[in-house]
Amino acid sequence: MDNIIVIENIVKRFGDHTAVDGLSLDIGRGEIFGFLGPNGAGKTTTVRLMTTLANLDEGRIVIDGHDISKDPIKAKRCLGLIQQNVSLDKELTVYENMMHHAMFQKIPKAERRKRIEELIEYVELDRYRDYMVNSLSGGWKKRVAIVCSLLHNPKILFLDEPTVGLDIDARRKLWDLIKKMNKDGTTVFLTTHYIEEAEAICDRVGIIDNGRLIALDSPKELRNRIGRMAVEYYGEDGKTEYRYFPGRQEANDFATNLGNDYTVIVRRTNLEDCFVEITGKKVGGLR
Amino acid sequence: MMNLLREIYYVSWGDLKFLRHNAINVLIMSLVSPILYLVTFGYGLAPNMVESDLPYIAFIIPGIIALSSLNASFSSTATRFNVQRLYYRSFDNMMVSPLSNAGIVLGKTTLGVVRGLLSCTFIFILGLFLAPQLMLTPLFVFSLILSCYTFSLLGVTAALLAKSHQTMAAFSSLVILPMTFLCGTFFALENLPPLMQAILYGFPLTHSSSILRAASLGWEFPWLSLLALAGFFVAFFLVDIHLIKTRKI
Ligand SMILES: Nc1ncnc2c1ncn2[C@@H]1O[C@H](COP(=O)(O)OP(=O)(O)OP(=O)(O)O)[C@@H](O)[C@H]1O
Ligand SMILES: [Mg+2]
């Protein structure tokens, strides 16, 4: 397969803490890749390394054939980034922020306005176009940040928790847009704590913990790995337990044997189960 | 070259829009400190001081212009860039775009240069009423622009070094404040002991005030000081390019 991103043994340290610890990973052209992991696992740091916002301590990253340390400008031409935290100039208007982005990306003058209008219409930003970014609500700020990074139709799109803070409508629109861009050839690298989103959209997922890649496969393979059926049960003490089985028969047998003291759910295994099994943690705490 | 100019324009575009949104504010700010300086030094101190056969007010106005180019250019660039980098994080958008480091560094100086030129123009116009012997020569204009660029580049340095508001403030009080008082803006350097003079020639503001003074009063032009200031310009530029590559957050 033609790999558009090649990551070889990258290391990033902050003081004596190693945030990314010898990670290697290849992303195929046209793939939608989901990067999952608990809080502080090193997802954002990895994305910042790949987009040249942070410097590598060790290792090598090649983006579309360009080593990002040797040829950063060529590498940067291919990428678009939606950051976890909104990064907009809060003392400029929505339109000005978009125009500024279009200039940074060197979109030809004649196309800038057209492209901006298209996206403004798509995410229904029209009534806010002359608002100072400062005065927008959190979700709208995020929408502006998203359209800004899509303006130049990047070859590779990095999305660091793109849907956090968005309402359902905006979230669906975003996924539709991402799927459409992917169909047109954009490679997508995304991190999210909404694992069902990753399960629905990703060709492959990688799970990172403590800066190390601990699993890498398609959602289907990961589910098969821990068992395709899940039994979720809790008794008097209210603590939920999970068990995984290769087939429904085994799962039902187990459920039957539990007797009458338990509430039991037998269902298909989902990616969240895999995540919890593999990292040993419940993701996101509250969810 | 065309490419670099275009990048500088792209990078400064947002800051110029920012300037437009805050035009009234900026105009008032640009007027306040010049007026304060002129009142304090022109009316308060000048009558008691004589600098050779020149009225002190004529001696001091070019100094105040040099000082304002430092204050306005440095602080507008440093403050806004610092906020964009550490708080808005909008600097990241620039850094993930295919822009050259030179384009980014020079683009970020524009705001400071414009603010500096604005302040200095006000002072010069006010100064003409108080000291008609001041002259507007091409060499003066060139020296002023070079000063504004140099100090604006220093503002970029400060912002790139800063890890917080606190470190920015430290830079100001350790580097900018001493320059303000010592670098021959308010007095002739010849009045100081030789060692002190030698030290002060190590600061860009000393050269900036000496070339601006000579150019506006028709004195023999200190080409060496112009060269020194140009040297600071190049040095700050190179430091900024280095920092932008290495100081990532
Ligand atoms: N600028 C920094 N300075 C020091 N430590 C940092 C810095 N950025 C990240 N870290 C540390 O690196 C580790 C990984 O952080 P990172 O932001 O990559 O996690 P994450 O996987 O994105 O987490 P989350 O799900 O909370 O977004 C954390 O322990 C964090 O404290
Ligand atoms: Mg993160």
Side-chain angles (χ1 to χ4, degrees):
Chain A
M1 187 164 51
D2 174 18
N3 289 324
I4 194 162
I5 305 176
V6 178
I7 302 174
E8 285 172 5
N9 251 317
I10 57 170
V11 175
K12 176 69 185 176
R13 298 184 197 92
F14 293 109
D16 49 13
H17 174 72
T18 308
V20 178
D21 194 359
L23 184 97
S24 296
L25 183 63
D26 294 334
I27 308 294
R29 196 177 294 272
E31 186 173 18
I32 300 187
F33 185 84
F35 202 43
L36 312 178
N39 288 137
K43 302 180 296 295
T44 298
T45 306
T46 307
V47 170
R48 289 179 70 83
L49 289 169
M50 288 193 281
T51 51
T52 74
L53 289 176
N55 286 332
L56 287 167
D57 288 327
E58 283 170 38
R60 198 167 82 105
I61 297 177
V62 179
I63 302 269
D64 199 22
H66 309 291
D67 186 319
I68 61 159
S69 311
K70 295 195 189 108
D71 217 343
I73 297 209
K74 282 201 181 122
K76 286 189 225 181
R77 269 198 203 120
C78 327
L79 43 102
L81 166 66
I82 298 174
Q83 297 219 62
Q84 183 169 9
N85 298 315
V86 169
S87 59
L88 294 168
D89 195 323
K90 301 196 176 53
E91 285 165 294
L92 296 180
T93 66
V94 169
Y95 189 85
E96 285 165 348
N97 264 288
M98 294 179 76
M99 184 53 96
H100 213 196
H101 264 84
M103 289 177 164
F104 291 161
Q105 295 299 340
K106 304 187 175 170
I107 299 176
K109 200 169 178 191
E111 285 170 38
R112 278 180 218 151
R113 274 168 203 283
K114 194 173 137 268
R115 188 71 187 131
I116 291 173
E117 295 304 331
E118 258 172 44
L119 284 166
I120 280 186
E121 195 179 329
Y122 188 80
V123 293
E124 292 154 34
L125 258 172
D126 198 41
R127 69 195 147 122
Y128 293 119
R129 76 166 66 207
D130 292 324
Y131 276 48
M132 285 285 160
V133 167
N134 224 351
S135 62
L136 296 182
S137 75
W140 281 99
K141 280 192 193 115
K142 187 97 190 188
R143 291 190 196 204
V144 177
I146 290 171
V147 293
C148 281
S149 30
L150 300 179
L151 279 168
H152 61 296
N153 269 322
K155 261 193 211 173
I156 310 173
L157 190 55
F158 292 93
L159 307 127
D160 195 357
E161 305 197 15
T163 51
V164 172
L166 292 181
D167 63 28
I168 295 171
D169 181 51
R171 200 175 283 192
R172 288 190 182 159
K173 274 209 161 112
L174 177 64
W175 290 126
D176 285 347
L177 191 61
I178 288 169
K179 276 188 249 173
K180 181 170 172 291
M181 288 179 70
N182 178 252
K183 202 171 269 167
D184 296 341
T186 304
T187 305
V188 179
F189 186 105
L190 68 95
T191 82
T192 181
H193 287 294
Y194 300 118
I195 295 193
E196 67 280 9
E197 289 182 344
E199 184 162 16
I201 198 174
C202 293
D203 301 314
R204 274 195 313 157
V205 297
I207 298 179
I208 181 179
D209 199 9
N210 290 321
R212 297 210 175 117
L213 196 64
I214 53 174
L216 175 67
D217 224 324
S218 67
K220 185 163 173 241
E221 280 307 315
L222 286 177
R223 285 193 304 261
N224 288 347
R225 193 185 299 178
I226 66 164
R228 282 160 58 196
M229 294 304 295
V231 177
E232 196 179 326
Y233 60 99
Y234 58 91
E236 301 282 273
D237 61 352
K239 188 174 177 301
T240 310
E241 305 276 354
Y242 299 85
R243 291 287 293 273
Y244 303 99
F245 301 92
R248 186 170 294 272
Q249 192 57 53
E250 294 92 325
N252 282 339
D253 290 349
F254 176 79
T256 313
N257 288 338
L258 277 173
N260 298 331
D261 293 339
Y262 289 92
T263 304
V264 182
I265 301 167
V266 180
R267 57 169 172 77
R268 283 182 57 197
T269 303
N270 59 33
L271 192 58
E272 189 162 318
D273 298 321
C274 306
F275 181 89
V276 177
E277 273 302 290
I278 291 167
T279 61
K281 289 171 198 165
K282 184 82 179 162
V283 67
L286 290 175
R287 286 170 45 77
Chain B
M1 187 62 195
M2 274 315 289
N3 198 26
L4 180 66
L5 288 179
R6 210 170 17 235
E7 287 184 355
I8 293 173
Y9 168 70
Y10 291 159
V11 172
S12 23
W13 186 87
D15 291 341
L16 295 176
K17 285 283 170 196
F18 165 81
L19 205 60
R20 274 233 329 245
H21 289 306
N22 298 283
I24 295 183
N25 210 326
V26 167
L27 278 180
I28 293 174
M29 270 172 30
S30 310
L31 274 169
V32 170
S33 56
I35 292 176
L36 281 179
Y37 282 131
L38 287 173
V39 170
T40 318
F41 294 102
Y43 291 108
L45 286 172
N48 315 320
M49 317 254 283
V50 182
E51 191 66 47
S52 58
D53 43 358
L54 190 75
Y56 183 61
I57 186 79
F59 174 84
I60 204 176
I61 286 171
I64 294 176
I65 291 179
L67 185 57
S68 300
S69 76
L70 168 68
N71 280 331
S73 299
F74 172 83
S75 57
S76 341
T77 295
T79 312
R80 178 145 163 90
F81 190 17
N82 184 46
V83 169
Q84 288 175 328
R85 182 168 166 270
L86 293 183
Y87 302 96
Y88 298 164
R89 295 290 188 138
S90 57
F91 180 53
D92 284 350
N93 305 328
M94 236 172 267
M95 292 303 284
V96 294
S97 305
L99 298 165
S100 67
N101 291 328
I104 294 178
V105 167
L106 291 173
K108 289 315 289 177
T109 59
T110 308
L111 177 69
V113 172
V114 172
R115 279 278 280 106
L117 290 177
L118 213 60
S119 280
C120 294
T121 308
F122 279 132
I123 305 178
F124 191 83
I125 293 169
L126 287 179
L128 279 179
F129 291 104
L130 301 169
Q133 55 270 74
L134 290 177
M135 293 179 294
L136 185 64
T137 60
L139 209 50
F140 177 82
V141 175
F142 178 78
S143 304
L144 183 58
I145 293 176
L146 180 64
S147 298
C148 290
Y149 263 106
T150 307
F151 297 131
S152 202
L153 281 171
L154 188 62
V156 173
T157 314
L160 285 172
L161 283 173
K163 288 195 171 123
S164 65
H165 257 330
Q166 190 53 42
T167 37
M168 272 293 290
F171 193 96
S172 288
S173 43
L174 291 176
V175 180
I176 304 303
L177 202 60
M179 274 212 269
T180 309
F181 287 103
L182 297 175
C183 289
T185 43
F186 301 127
F187 53 83
L189 234 48
E190 295 87 75
N191 302 341
L192 293 176
L195 177 68
M196 194 68 184
Q197 282 188 39
I199 295 175
L200 291 182
Y201 276 114
F203 290 96
L205 186 61
T206 310
H207 301 286
S208 165
S209 54
S210 108
I211 55 178
L212 286 169
R213 187 166 287 139
S216 60
L217 295 174
W219 295 357
E220 194 194 334
F221 193 74
W223 291 100
L224 267 181
S225 276
L226 181 73
L227 206 65
L229 191 62
F232 278 108
F233 173 90
V234 174
F236 292 158
F237 175 73
L238 294 176
V239 167
D240 290 347
I241 294 285
H242 173 73
L243 289 176
I244 214 169
K245 281 189 217 152
T246 50
R247 296 282 289 198
K248 296 190 175 170
I249 20 171

